[in-house]
Amino acid sequence: QVQLVESGGGLVQAGGSLRLSCAASGRTFSNYHMGWFRQAPGKEREFVSAISWSGSSTYYTNSVEGRFTISRDNANNTVYLQMNSLKPEDTAVYYCAAQTWGLASMRADEYNYWGQGTQVTVSS
């Protein structure tokens, strides 16, 4: 089993920044690809970013490219999402997820474990 706990969400004005953290416990964190997804009210969960187990490959959805940065610290079992130049449309619950097989994916159904989510609200 893998337990994931997100933190760092909150309320921020448009143009501001937040850094989300996801702490993992359980099995070997460095073996997993990690992803961030988000879900806004009334919308489906969508891919935000992913990072390979080694950190050598990163992926972003178009709407956050250049504003968000994913990173990981395998020594401390943590993955981060640095979010800059936030926009009201970034408002959502953000989830981190772990993928234990294959290549780092943008598909939610390929992730095995999920955190409980952290709310990010961007005011205009």
Side-chain angles (χ1 to χ4, degrees):
Q1 281 289 344
V2 177
Q3 293 79 41
L4 302 173
V5 179
E6 302 97 334
S7 61
L11 173 64
V12 64
Q13 288 188 332
S17 299
L18 285 174
R19 188 175 82 154
L20 304 184
S21 300
C22 174
S25 61
R27 298 170 65 184
T28 308
F29 175 77
S30 59
N31 289 348
Y32 306 143
H33 308 308
M34 298 297 296
W36 286 96
F37 292 77
R38 66 187 181 187
Q39 188 168 17
K43 296 188 177 181
E44 294 187 353
R45 190 169 298 188
E46 65 170 352
F47 171 78
V48 176
S49 182
I51 187 167
S52 61
W53 65 269
S54 66
S56 61
S57 298
T58 57
Y59 309 90
Y60 300 92
T61 191
N62 287 344
S63 62
V64 309
E65 184 83 51
R67 300 189 297 122
F68 291 10
T69 303
I70 191 171
S71 61
R72 65 188 299 160
D73 180 349
N74 285 346
N76 290 298
N77 290 0
T78 304
V79 63
Y80 303 98
L81 186 67
Q82 177 67 44
M83 304 187 296
N84 298 330
S85 302
L86 282 161
K87 303 175 181 180
E89 50 264 43
D90 294 318
T91 295
V93 177
Y94 283 70
Y95 299 89
C96 75
Q99 180 187 356
T100 62
W101 60 280
L103 301 175
S105 176
M106 294 183 287
R107 292 180 50 174
D109 61 1
E110 294 188 352
Y111 285 78
N112 310 75
Y113 301 100
W114 292 83
Q116 83 290 347
T118 186
Q119 176 70 48
V120 171
T121 303
V122 184
S123 62
S124 57

